Amino acid sequence: MSQTNILLEAGTNELEIIEFYIDEEDYSGKKYRAYYAVNVAKVLEIIRMPKVTGMPSTPHPCVVGTFNLRNKVIPLIDLSLWLGKPMADRGNAKVIVSEFNKIINAFIVSGVTRIHRLSWDQVEPPTGYVSTFAANNFTGVVKFEDRIVLLLDMEQIIWDLNPSLAMRMEREREALIKAGSGTYKTLVVDDSNSIRRLITSYLVNDGFEVEQDVNGQEAWDRLSAWKEQAAKSGGSLFDHVNLLVTDIEMPAMDGHNLCKRVKEDPVLKELPVILFSSLINDRLYHKGLSVGADDQVTKPEIGTLAERAKKLIEGRVSAKPRA
């Protein structure tokens, strides 16, 4: 799959999604077409249905086997089985090969329609009926004139199938809290409740005091309010916050745009920012650098987050004031 311009830009609060569909069949035998999408940045390529090799045991019935793609053995997941909506016809099925958290997987779908370039403020969080049946499967909703497209949380699917592949939930406890180091006030931003709680639990256990927001816009509003309070009181921004940890993919305002705004602000620019996302890889690392991120941590590296955060905070405190 060729790169598009959006993969070379950062801080625009835009994304590109690949729209695809599954021809589903309900319990009465009625067929209908459901539309889904995933971030272009997570897609390596789209291929025809390959020759599949069965597996002696799988973590879930939706893992139908593996296939060989340029000397790489890739697990193949039947997305319709995962969603509990059997595919009506597999005759012309396509396979989306994806990479995130440095892991490659593939998903069977009925077909692929097109790429859309959107602003994150066009992506709505799942609400109502969608949120009741799809809280762990979808991250957002995009409304077009003739259809609704659900943004699929492929990462959550992989995590649920095999947590050790997507993120290590357990780690050996280390004595990371230095004597007399004090409490680090941190703002954690992520639209996934489970990921946000996970980050918070790791940081709190290592001596951090954590506030949480669900998207970049809410975080920007909170940071702006703290800046205003500090100015009125004659105090410092760092009386309110010492660190920002943010996801990249979020409705309303994404993490790259949030980081860019922070680093372009004359007061907020001193705040250390860590991007924490499955989108951080060798191909896209430069995007975080271009918006001024102080560090970038992939989700499987969560065990290193607290230590890296402390180094940034303590480095800022020990650094000489800028002219």
Side-chain angles (χ1 to χ4, degrees):
M1 176 180 169
S2 62
Q3 286 192 344
T4 51
N5 288 337
I6 192 68
L7 298 181
L8 304 176
E9 300 169 1
T12 62
N13 205 41
E14 293 177 307
L15 78 157
E16 282 190 336
I17 59 173
I18 291 182
E19 180 187 352
F20 57 91
Y21 59 88
I22 297 177
D23 289 326
E24 301 173 356
E25 187 172 342
D26 65 18
Y27 64 92
S28 66
K30 182 180 180 180
K31 299 178 182 179
Y32 60 96
R33 179 165 290 183
Y35 293 91
Y36 306 97
V38 65
N39 195 319
V40 166
K42 293 184 177 181
V43 177
L44 292 178
E45 58 186 300
I46 298 166
I47 61 175
R48 294 179 180 178
M49 189 71 182
K51 181 179 179 180
V52 180
T53 301
M55 300 171 64
S57 63
T58 62
H60 191 279
C62 72
V63 183
V64 298
T66 63
F67 66 95
N68 189 304
L69 182 65
R70 289 185 288 279
N71 296 321
K72 290 184 178 180
V73 178
I74 300 174
L76 184 61
I77 298 164
D78 188 325
L79 194 54
S80 68
L81 291 180
W82 171 261
L83 295 172
K85 300 170 180 283
M87 193 180 295
D89 181 11
R90 300 174 186 275
N92 296 309
K94 297 294 188 293
V95 171
I96 297 176
V97 183
S98 67
E99 180 182 18
F100 45 88
N101 289 337
K102 300 181 179 180
I103 299 166
I104 298 176
N105 288 277
F107 298 82
I108 304 172
V109 301
S110 297
V112 177
T113 54
R114 55 166 293 185
I115 292 175
H116 301 277
R117 184 167 183 164
L118 306 170
S119 171
W120 272 107
D121 59 19
Q122 294 175 258
V123 180
E124 302 177 14
T127 57
Y129 174 67
V130 174
S131 65
T132 59
F133 86 90
N136 293 325
N137 296 331
F138 305 103
T139 59
V141 178
V142 180
K143 297 177 181 177
F144 294 104
E145 289 185 5
D146 59 343
R147 66 197 181 282
I148 293 176
V149 177
L150 301 175
L151 293 186
L152 187 69
D153 191 349
M154 287 184 171
E155 180 182 1
Q156 184 68 46
I157 293 173
I158 298 303
W159 185 5
D160 288 346
L161 287 174
N162 192 338
S164 65
L165 289 178
M167 182 182 294
R168 298 183 182 277
M169 295 292 295
E170 300 293 336
R171 61 170 176 163
E172 295 181 2
R173 299 305 302 158
E174 298 177 296
L176 295 176
I177 304 175
K178 297 180 180 179
S181 61
T183 299
Y184 303 101
K185 298 178 181 179
T186 301
L187 179 59
V188 171
V189 192
D190 199 301
D191 60 330
S192 167
N193 291 333
S194 58
I195 298 298
R196 200 170 59 249
R197 288 195 298 267
L198 183 65
I199 297 171
T200 298
S201 68
Y202 269 77
L203 292 178
V204 168
N205 286 338
D206 282 317
F208 290 71
E209 178 184 324
V210 178
E211 298 281 354
Q212 303 177 39
D213 280 320
V214 300
N215 61 57
Q217 185 61 59
E218 289 192 6
W220 175 253
D221 292 343
R222 189 192 294 260
L223 290 169
S224 298
W226 280 336
K227 182 180 75 168
E228 184 177 346
Q229 291 173 21
K232 288 182 178 179
S233 66
S236 167
L237 172 70
F238 303 104
D239 296 333
H240 302 276
V241 61
N242 304 114
L243 175 73
L244 172 63
V245 178
T246 179
D247 187 21
I248 293 175
E249 292 183 284
M250 296 179 291
M253 183 190 297
D254 69 12
H256 281 142
N257 187 249
L258 173 62
C259 182
K260 182 179 180 182
R261 290 191 182 201
V262 167
K263 293 305 180 180
E264 289 178 348
D265 184 278
V267 175
L268 296 176
K269 67 180 181 181
E270 300 295 340
L271 181 68
V273 178
I274 295 178
L275 297 178
F276 181 80
S277 173
S278 61
L279 286 181
I280 297 167
N281 55 37
D282 293 340
R283 293 182 300 130
L284 300 177
Y285 190 84
H286 70 279
K287 293 184 71 173
L289 293 177
S290 70
V291 295
D294 297 279
D295 199 357
Q296 300 181 67
V297 181
T298 64
K299 290 183 177 179
E301 298 174 317
I302 190 171
T304 70
L305 179 61
E307 185 174 18
R308 292 161 75 165
K310 288 180 181 181
K311 287 181 179 178
L312 285 177
I313 295 170
E314 292 166 359
R316 185 198 64 79
V317 170
S318 62
K320 294 181 180 180
R322 298 183 182 182

